[in-house]
Amino acid sequence: MFEPDVIYDSRRLIPPEEHTRPTTERVWIRRLLIGIAVVFMAAVLVLPLVLVFTEAFRKGADTYFAAFADRQSQQAIVLTLLVAVIAVPLNLVFGIAAAWCVAKYEFWGKSFLTTLIDLPFSVSPVVSGMVYVLLFGAQSALHPLLRAYNIEIIFAVPGIVLATIFVTFPFIARELIPLMQDQGNTDEEAALSLGATGWQTFTRVTLPNIKWGLLYGVLLCNARAMGEFGAVSVVSGHIRGKTTTMPLDIEILYNEYNFTAAFAIASLLAMLALVTLVFKTILEYRFGDELAGTRRH
Amino acid sequence: MDIRVDTVRKEFSHYPALNDVSLEVKSSELIALLGPSGSGKTTLLRLIAGLEMPTAGRIFFGDEDASSKTVQERNVGFVFQAYALFRNMTVLDNISFGLKVRPRATRPPKAEIRRRAMELLDLVQLSGLEKRFPQQLSGGQRQRVALARALAIEPRVLLLDEPFGALDAQVRKELRKWLREIHDRTGHTTVFVTHDQEEALELADRLVVMSQGKIEQVGTPDDVYDRPNSPFVFSFIGESSSLPVTVENHELWVGGRAIGLPAPNDAVGEASLFFRPHDVELVEDGVGAALAGVVVASRRVGGTRRVELEIGGLPERVEIDLPFDHPAGEKTRIAFRPKRWRVFPKQA
């Protein structure tokens, strides 16, 4: 007669509670660590967000909406949108170009270029703003020339746009470089060998391959473009209704003790952050494997 | 379309990957570039395709100098080891890509493109899967789509870079047979790269054996297997055993004993004897000159038993095949003579 061997399953011999993998901690340590993390998150992230909205609505919905009726605040919102509409598409192009260069080609000075792309991340935004003041401001060598042609850059919209572009430059490139490096060149080579032109290869093969990573980068870039304070603050000149973006407007309102209005505008920015987060989470959930380094941000 | 590679050299940042290589591929021929990794076989294939440009030398398609042409202009079908299918396109869109990107003047009408793609899908035996995406196919199916995509542009030559390298052994064997059938039916001049000698021997009309950026030997599978022209080819293709010998008096000597094999020419001195482990005859020890050794290891290989012999106290050991029911055990003394062999002068 054939008798099957008794199969011993280690999981059956040890009670489930005590059966732990070597990488798992004891129950009380797990709960303690999770507890600390939750409390910390609540205090540092959730509480401030809740406070923004409670402060904004402290004097009721009417006062809240009145803040948006203010002409100068409206102009700040419009300016913020304008800056984002210019800066994000430009960085989209620059970002793709830079990532393409770094990921698909080998050349001398490549690692230096990669470092350069990261520069805006490592430099304080105030310094980034200062650079533009030095470059185009009243003390710069370029100033007489700019004056002669009546071009205003510092304390005007162009300066704000330039500073924003600088600060938000790395977002798209950094998102695309690892993704494109990972994908390699073979898809492009295949397209070329099939007779596609460079542009056809880019639009039909490369772009579809990176589209979710690109969208992800654009989202982060946009959030930062609208929320940037430091660099913009240096170049803006704080002319209310002319060169103030939403973050600057919030600061002015706050300094004028107009807390409700300040928090009302702040709530708008917070909302933008929330929407960005929701989109980001959806993208990560849906296309996680097509996004590079999702844990990095 | 025949291909002629004329003293082509390729350097990657001053490191020569290919050293003045010349090769002629006849029209409708199925040819294999075979060699260990780093031998330059893939580089040669990519140079023919135009995916790399040679440092020196020229490549002809027929009478036409293709060296200065771009990959698009060369009109080659290229199949990649990792398939390189466009993941955002269906199988049908992948196959018709090459026709869709043509300039309007030479682009066939939509219905015609579809008809041709469906025909190719049928050729690669994947009818019914046209709406699938690459991720929904098995490795073997993906590679067949890749081949159909390459054939769609009616290429002048078909180039395959380790086409079955990423597939498991069973699928590999099937695809091998199937590629041969497709080749015989379509008649494309085909060059494929492989490091799998079995694949090369079974599939190709002719083999190009490469090593260290040079071509070692070009020939039919029979040529290369039966008449290897260098120690490298002998040991790279098929099983081999080798032993240092001395050539003297038109005979081969090992450890001061003649082994009963005549020397192939008048050369005298140190040499290496190469033979196939299965290509030996056993002789009774002590009767006539032969190679004699003591069994030091033995293992079963398929239908035969392969034993390792220590010959007259030399450090080198040779392997020979015995019938599986041969009574030889450890320390048994066995005398044999290779039935076919080659002698190469000792390399400096």
Side-chain angles (χ1 to χ4, degrees), chain A residues 187 189 192-193 196 200 208, chain B residues 46 72 76 86-88 101:
Chain A
D187 280 14
E189 282 181 343
L192 294 174
S193 79
Q200 282 172 327
Chain B
R46 290 171 62 85
Q72 290 104 323
V76 296
F86 307 130
R87 68 203 85 174
N88 58 314
V101 295

Side-chain angles (χ1 to χ4, degrees), chain A residues 144-151:
Chain A
L145 193 72
L146 293 172
R147 252 192 103 112
Y149 290 98
N150 224 356
I151 300 171

Side-chain angles (χ1 to χ4, degrees), chain B residues 97-166:
Chain B
F97 182 86
L99 296 174
K100 283 186 185 163
V101 295
R102 283 195 187 166
R104 191 158 297 160
T106 55
R107 193 192 313 151
K110 261 196 185 142
E112 168 70 9
I113 291 179
R114 192 185 153 80
R115 193 190 60 74
R116 267 160 69 176
M118 293 300 270
E119 220 174 78
L120 282 163
L121 206 59
D122 189 45
L123 179 76
V124 299
Q125 297 159 0
L126 290 177
S127 301
L129 299 186
E130 62 268 23
K131 291 203 181 105
R132 297 267 188 100
F133 282 90
Q135 301 93 300
Q136 301 168 311
L137 301 178
S138 71
Q141 289 172 329
R142 286 184 207 183
Q143 200 54 297
R144 285 193 266 170
V145 173
L147 185 71
R149 183 179 69 176
L151 289 172
I153 60 168
E154 294 171 326
R156 293 195 288 179
V157 298
L158 193 57
L159 307 170
L160 305 99
D161 185 10
E162 304 231 12
F164 312 133

